[in-house]
Amino acid sequence: MIDIKDLSKIYIVGDERVHALDHATLHIYPEEFVSIIGPSGSGKSTLMNIIGCLDVADAGSYYLDGMPIESYTENQLAAIRNRKIGFVFQNFNLIPKLSAEENVELPLIYQKVKRAERAVRVKEALERVGLTKRAKHLPTELSGGQQQRVAIARAIVTDPKLILADEPTGALDSKTGHEIIDIFHELHSQGNTIVLITHDNDIAKQASRSIHILDGKTTEVKL
Amino acid sequence: MIIAFKMAIRSIGSNKMRAALTMLGIIIGVVALVVLVSLTSGATDSVTDAVSDLGSSMLTVTISDDKGVPITLDTVNEWMNESAVGEIAPYASSSATAAADGTSGEVTVYGTTPAYYDIQGLQLAMGRWLKTSDVENHTYVCVINEATAEELIGYTDCVGQAITLNGVRYTVAGVLSDEENSLTSLVSSGSMVAYLPYTSLIRLADSLTEEVTSFCVSAPENGTMDEVEAAMTQLLMERFEDDDDAFEVSSQSVLEETMGSVTSTLTILLGGIAAISLIVGGIGIMNIMLVTVTERTREIGIRKAIGANRRTILGQFLMEAVVICMIGCVLGIFLSWGILQTVNTVVSSLKMTFSLNGGVVMIAVAFCFLIGIVFGLYPANKAAKMKPIDALHYGG
Ligand SMILES: Nc1ncnc2c1ncn2[C@@H]1O[C@H](COP(=O)(O)OP(=O)(O)OP(=O)(O)O)[C@@H](O)[C@H]1O
Ligand SMILES: [Mg+2]
């Protein structure tokens, strides 16, 4: 599913060169639940942005579903993000002016799904995260945990092959965090590929496989 | 498309004050354009109506090709018996040197028949107008206007005096008053004019012959100008072998034509000034759209992350700019309508009515649309070009 070899990303800040990713290599197979763990500043988010086609690497190769991502145009990448990938961010990244429902609907609009079908799928997605009752609420009217559920619903509404979550529990208390992780387990059991980024060992352990990242270098850890 | 429209409405609605102020620029521009142009065209219409009321009570016919059957005074008399035709006065003009008591000057000399007086609506100050017998006997009488009397003789009360035209002696039979507000005085105020019997002028001027090449026609008491025009055209067609190039029947006075061109220049000028204010409004839109795009960088990042491509983002912001413009445009048109209604009640005594000029409303709508596109394009493109990752991390 994901095939990354010798991926490097270098930021130049002033005179300094920061190797956010340094020859990172990893494979993720379909229907896996993989966690990527590492301390703060180790390059986790950088890696996820590249996997999610939001950013491009400076060197190395990245194949998603056998397709070489480097050679795609911006519009093709947008289509890939839209159809193949579902994002869950640490800070939720919901659009504040839109209600929960409308936030979830947005990726479907970009896919040009018909109105009636959109309504059905949005309802379904909100049901899966247990938030049907809050469909009309604006993000500001929801708790952090509820906002993250909306974000998850938005990620899964398009039935993406890959769900990327960057510290989805980072802004939540541990109880709510557990509930969110439970949703990911459920999604995994339904056949989704999940890549979950965290700096929390307990959460990382719940995945079927864990990849360690430190100073931009990846190592596989068996749990 | 519909969704993009709804999104645009919502995001405009989320900052009503700002949207309203931005629209104000467009509203003022539209009002300026629509009201100014409607007012000028309204005023033009009523003035033109007034002018044509004055001038169009007669037809002017000119013959350019007589096809071997020239029109004579007899033909004219014959035509005057037609029921649909009122009076007909043939006329010819020439210029001559007039002299009296040692003063001399150039006068325009018209040769015509008695009917001319009524058709043209002339006014005598004193004396008499030309008579049928004058025309029949080529008498040496003339009717001059006040300007000529004062210029040549020195006073108006000069009936019976003699003047010479190109050395030939004529007796002044009457003096016409130079009416202040008559159409003729507008065109030829202060110029010297003398009227002779048609037949006398032909003797005076070598270049003129018995053949009538121009004449004016009035409507009968209970007929309309349109009927006269139709009847006249038919008579002429019959005479000239159905060749409508041989003659020209016109009911529009020169004055009317001149006025038309003056007012259309005025309309274009005012419209142009108003259009400039619309462009200023457009710059306001561009400014606010740039602010909006910067403010919503994060939103753009989110939208791109979940799959919006360049075109979608471009379309979204362009739609916003166009919607602001069009709402401003519609409000502006309504406001203009209100203003024109108010003007109407205020000036109701002037017998002028101003209504929205359909053409300028169309132009305003098209122009606003164009401004939305042109001034929305740069900000929208700026939004569309953002890299998703940069946009997403903007401002934390
Ligand atoms: N836009 C940027 N410009 C310069 N340096 C950057 C930029 N983004 C990331 N970095 C650097 O790259 C390194 C990796 O950053 P990254 O955000 O991937 O860390 P992370 O593992 O996600 O950390 P955290 O757990 O705190 O989120 C850091 O040293 C950071 O300073
Ligand atoms: Mg991070």
Side-chain angles (χ1 to χ4, degrees), chain A residues 101 104 121-132 135 150 153:
Chain A
E101 211 172 41
V104 176
R121 283 169 69 174
V122 167
K123 195 159 164 274
E124 225 171 60
L126 284 172
E127 256 165 33
R128 278 165 81 182
V129 297
L131 216 63
T132 323
V150 175

Side-chain angles (χ1 to χ4, degrees), chain B residues 95-208:
Chain B
S95 68
T97 312
D101 299 336
T103 38
S104 66
E106 278 299 297
V107 293
T108 309
V109 188
Y110 289 97
T112 186
T113 58
Y116 193 80
Y117 185 80
D118 286 334
I119 297 173
Q120 295 284 351
L122 302 177
Q123 285 295 320
L124 273 173
M126 56 204 60
R128 63 166 179 88
W129 177 247
L130 304 172
K131 288 181 185 164
T132 316
S133 58
D134 293 328
V135 179
E136 279 166 1
N137 305 324
H138 334 287
T139 52
Y140 292 95
V141 293
C142 67
V143 175
I144 58 177
N145 63 345
E146 277 177 304
T148 317
E150 271 157 30
E151 196 91 356
L152 286 179
I153 302 162
Y155 49 94
T156 321
D157 189 8
C158 59
V159 175
Q161 299 268 355
I163 61 167
T164 61
L165 293 170
N166 287 352
V168 183
R169 244 177 94 94
Y170 286 83
T171 310
V172 176
V175 178
L176 289 174
S177 56
D178 288 335
E179 220 184 309
E180 296 289 292
N181 52 354
S182 93
L183 206 57
T184 4
S185 74
L186 266 174
V187 184
S188 60
S189 82
S191 62
M192 301 209 284
V193 183
Y195 297 91
L196 307 184
Y198 191 81
T199 45
S200 308
L201 180 70
I202 288 163
R203 293 207 174 158
L204 185 69
D206 299 334
S207 58
L208 297 173

